[in-house]
Amino acid sequence: MEPAIKVENLSKSYVLRHQKVSNYSTLRETLTGTLKSLFSNPAGKTSAATKEKFLALNDVSFEVKQGERIGIIGRNGAGKSTLLKVLSRIVEPDRGKITIVGRVASLLEVGTGFHPELTGRENIFLNGSILGMTRAEIKSKFDEIVSFSEIEKFLDTPVKRYSSGMYVRLAFAVAAHLEPEILIVDEVLAVGDAQFQKKCLGKMKDVSAEGRTVLFVSHNMEAVQKLCSSGILLNKGELIAAGGIESIVRKYIENNAESSAYFGIPRPLDADHLPGFAEWVQIEDELGNKLPEVAIGAGWFLRVGFQLNRDLDEFVIGIGIVTMMEVAARTTWSCPSRCVRGKYEAVFKFNDISFASGSYKIIVGLSEQYKTFHYSDNVASVTISDVSTIINDERMVNSVSGLILNQVDVDITRLS
Amino acid sequence: MSIHRIVIEPNSKNANYWKDIWAYKGLFYFLAWRDVLVRYKQTVLGILWSVLRPLITIVVFTVVFNKLGHFPSEGAIPYAILVCAGMLPWQFFSNAFSESANSLTGNASLLTKVYFPRLIIPASSIIVSLIDFLISFCILIGLFMYYQYMPGWRIALLPFFLLLATVTAMGSGLLIAALNVKYRDFRYIIPFIVQFGLYISPVGFSSSVVFGGVSTPTGLKYLYALNPMVAVIDGFRWAIIRGGPPLFLPGFILSAGMSLFLLFYGLRYFRKTERSYADII
């Protein structure tokens, strides 16, 4: 069967202007610009250097099979949105060729074309037709859309009086009832409350279960993994990898790593006069590899590098893990021990504690005979990702189980 | 079910350009419908504005040009009818032109988020002005009754001149809309064109003042006829005023030709630039 989407050697570039020399610069701007460059560049360089070509997409090729649900992931500026815009025919590529078989609907924004003065009812029709539905289609789905959006009571109120939640719900409800052969979706699930997001994700799953081809961009790895069967990874406009979604997500997390797994600690001003000081912190997996994001439920190590300027009798190194809301999640320290002068590493092994997903701040402290001589607040952050292959019990990951997710055994005994 | 097949390539010639537009007629309808609904939202007088604005202008023009300026009417026709026959098409043109010239920048969020043939936006924005025109046409009928005036058979040709007005508004609107995307200077030029055009078009006076003037140099007559609205308004008057003087044909043809040229050129420029709208808007 022919692929639904075939992309060959696609490139798209933008010209960036670093100075505010616009296309339609006024005479005054041109004059002052020339004067400035005369003074600052006696060599006589022109302002040509202020233009820079930026490759938003660089020689990207891939195929999407019919009925495939493909996730497009990458960091900000990787070219995801540009790719979707080119696929949706909103912008034209510079090079390359795309062949699309089937009707395309793209959802790059929730509520495109909503008019604040119009009522919810009117906007359903307007937005539906903008997204490519016919009037008959909208009419036949009208009741479904209204009940999905949960705004029955406000159907005849102008949307400018809606709360932002209602607005988003209505907008998504319209979009969710599109029935194209190919659906292109950009990061739209990032809006709305958690419950509604879940509902949307469910709806999207239904859509794809009907055999439609779905292209989905999101920063939410959990959503991508739930929805997509395969993925492509973009970085700086280039296609890094394509394949099964699990391996692509893993690759993305690894790729994202390097920078955020190692944290240098600013050297204290009086470092040479202190008994010692901590130098860096690194988050690792159980094999000692750098780990920018810890999968929920997985074991991880915290390695601290420190230096001692003299021999210490009762040296203790301690760390604290604090939530972003400044709630202490865990504080722990080493046994007092005798250490001679030198460079050291300490490893804290979090093998059996499952923290809830989110970001945590790390505090490091060094002390001798219970007197702290170097204390560093907020030296690093560790992110516990909600993507997991270890914890399969969804209730544990998503519900409000608290900070610690370790299993608790419960016995129930009948007393009477 | 037929299989849609789209090939996207740089600078691809879209062979199905017009077919594509036809396929999006639903969107055309809804955008026009939106503009109509929004037009007089949250106003007290609502649709009455469509009548009031031209009516007041007609009264002022009649007083200024006829009573104070002593401009002659066409034959025995009341001057108010003469002005009205010029004012209605002019207001239609100036509304339709400004709406469509500003339509692309006004709908920037649509352009950057959804695909559809771009022509739909300026085209649909003209519909509001067309409806306004039809409503304000009541003024003319009112004047007919007030002056107990009965137009001749030529009024049946009025739709043709309305079409000519639409062509003029569309052509100039497309051109300026496309330019406006790249050069926002045109935002300031649009009201200027509308204001300036009112004085060089035969709205408050009759074209025979220019064409029939014995002392008017021929060159000036043709320069005057380069304004496409001359043909539209003269046509309206010719259709409405029973037994009025015949059209000054060379002037009419030149002026109508300008309308067609504007449409042709506007459309061409629009099509040439429309691919890049989402990138530069």
Side-chain angles (χ1 to χ4, degrees), chain B residues 243-265:
Chain B
L247 283 171
F248 178 63
L249 265 183
F252 180 80
I253 289 168
L254 179 63
S255 181
M258 277 301 290
S259 291
L260 293 176
F261 172 75
L262 256 182
L263 181 67
F264 168 77
Y265 186 72

Side-chain angles (χ1 to χ4, degrees), chain A residues 240-257:
Chain A
I240 303 284
I245 193 67
E246 301 292 334
S247 70
I248 295 296
V249 166
R250 206 173 315 127
K251 210 160 202 152
Y252 169 70
I253 291 175
E254 282 167 13
N255 240 336
N256 228 349

Side-chain angles (χ1 to χ4, degrees), chain A residues 77-259:
Chain A
K80 304 181 300 282
S81 296
T82 309
L83 178 61
L84 293 197
K85 277 191 175 178
V86 175
L87 286 173
S88 323
R89 298 166 76 193
I90 294 164
V91 299
E92 205 177 42
D94 293 342
R95 269 193 311 270
K97 184 180 175 185
I98 303 170
T99 315
I100 301 177
V101 180
R103 265 182 60 183
V104 182
S106 43
L107 188 55
L108 303 192
E109 180 189 60
V110 165
T112 308
F114 260 42
H115 198 291
E117 297 284 352
L118 297 182
T119 66
R121 182 191 304 277
E122 289 161 346
N123 268 309
I124 290 178
F125 279 93
L126 180 64
N127 189 234
S129 77
I130 285 169
L131 294 174
M133 291 184 185
T134 64
R135 190 140 59 127
E137 270 179 288
I138 304 169
K139 263 190 182 151
S140 71
K141 295 231 162 83
F142 189 82
D143 293 335
E144 258 182 87
I145 294 175
V146 173
S147 72
F148 188 88
S149 66
E150 305 162 14
I151 54 128
E152 289 91 341
K153 268 202 286 184
F154 307 97
L155 209 48
D156 293 306
T157 309
V159 297
K160 64 178 174 185
R161 311 216 192 286
Y162 279 25
S163 73
S164 55
M166 284 158 65
Y167 186 93
V168 164
R169 284 209 303 273
L170 179 65
F172 194 87
V174 180
H177 290 82
L178 281 173
E179 287 190 341
E181 281 134 16
I182 301 170
L183 183 62
I184 297 177
V185 185
D186 189 6
E187 200 81 62
V188 285
L189 292 174
V191 293
D193 56 40
Q195 206 193 347
F196 190 71
Q197 274 185 30
K198 226 171 182 173
K199 194 169 162 184
C200 295
L201 208 59
K203 182 73 191 172
M204 300 254 302
K205 238 177 167 172
D206 292 347
V207 167
S208 52
E210 288 161 22
R212 289 175 220 290
T213 311
V214 179
L215 269 85
F216 181 54
V217 163
S218 178
H219 283 113
N220 183 342
M221 290 302 129
E222 189 194 351
V224 173
Q225 277 188 316
K226 269 189 188 157
L227 193 72
C228 301
S229 50
S230 57
I232 60 175
L233 176 59
L234 293 176
N235 188 24
K236 291 180 182 157
E238 286 175 48
L239 189 110
I240 303 284
I245 193 67
E246 301 292 334
S247 70
I248 295 296
V249 166
R250 206 173 315 127
K251 210 160 202 152
Y252 169 70
I253 291 175
E254 282 167 13
N255 240 336
N256 228 349
E258 298 304 314
S259 54

Side-chain angles (χ1 to χ4, degrees), chain A residues 2 12 14 23-24 85-104 106 108-109 112-113 115 117-119 122 125-126 129-130 135 138 160-161 181, chain B residues 1-12 14 20 24 26-27 29-31 33-34 37-38 41-42 109-116 118 182-185 274-275 278-280:
Chain A
E2 204 180 357
K12 170 83 191 169
Y14 288 99
N23 288 353
Y24 48 100
K85 277 191 175 178
V86 175
L87 286 173
S88 323
R89 298 166 76 193
I90 294 164
V91 299
E92 205 177 42
D94 293 342
R95 269 193 311 270
K97 184 180 175 185
I98 303 170
T99 315
I100 301 177
V101 180
R103 265 182 60 183
V104 182
S106 43
L108 303 192
E109 180 189 60
T112 308
H115 198 291
E117 297 284 352
L118 297 182
T119 66
E122 289 161 346
F125 279 93
L126 180 64
S129 77
I130 285 169
R135 190 140 59 127
I138 304 169
K160 64 178 174 185
R161 311 216 192 286
E181 281 134 16
Chain B
M1 200 176 136
S2 68
I3 296 174
H4 289 253
R5 195 191 174 82
I6 308 159
V7 177
I8 305 171
E9 273 177 308
N11 304 314
S12 57
N14 188 353
D20 224 18
Y24 278 85
L27 183 59
Y29 166 81
F30 274 111
L31 287 179
W33 171 77
R34 173 196 68 180
L37 281 181
V38 170
K41 280 254 167 158
Q42 232 172 9
S109 64
L110 278 189
L111 290 182
T112 55
K113 296 293 179 199
V114 200
Y115 168 77
F116 51 88
R118 292 351 190 166
K182 193 165 184 189
Y183 309 99
R184 292 294 149 82
D185 308 48
E274 69 179 327
R275 290 170 218 284
D279 284 334
I280 55 179

Side-chain angles (χ1 to χ4, degrees), chain A residues 10 99 105 136 203 243 257 300 307 335 363 368 416:
Chain A
L10 189 70
T99 315
K203 182 73 191 172
W300 56 283
Q307 186 178 326
C335 295
I363 297 166
E368 188 196 19
S416 58

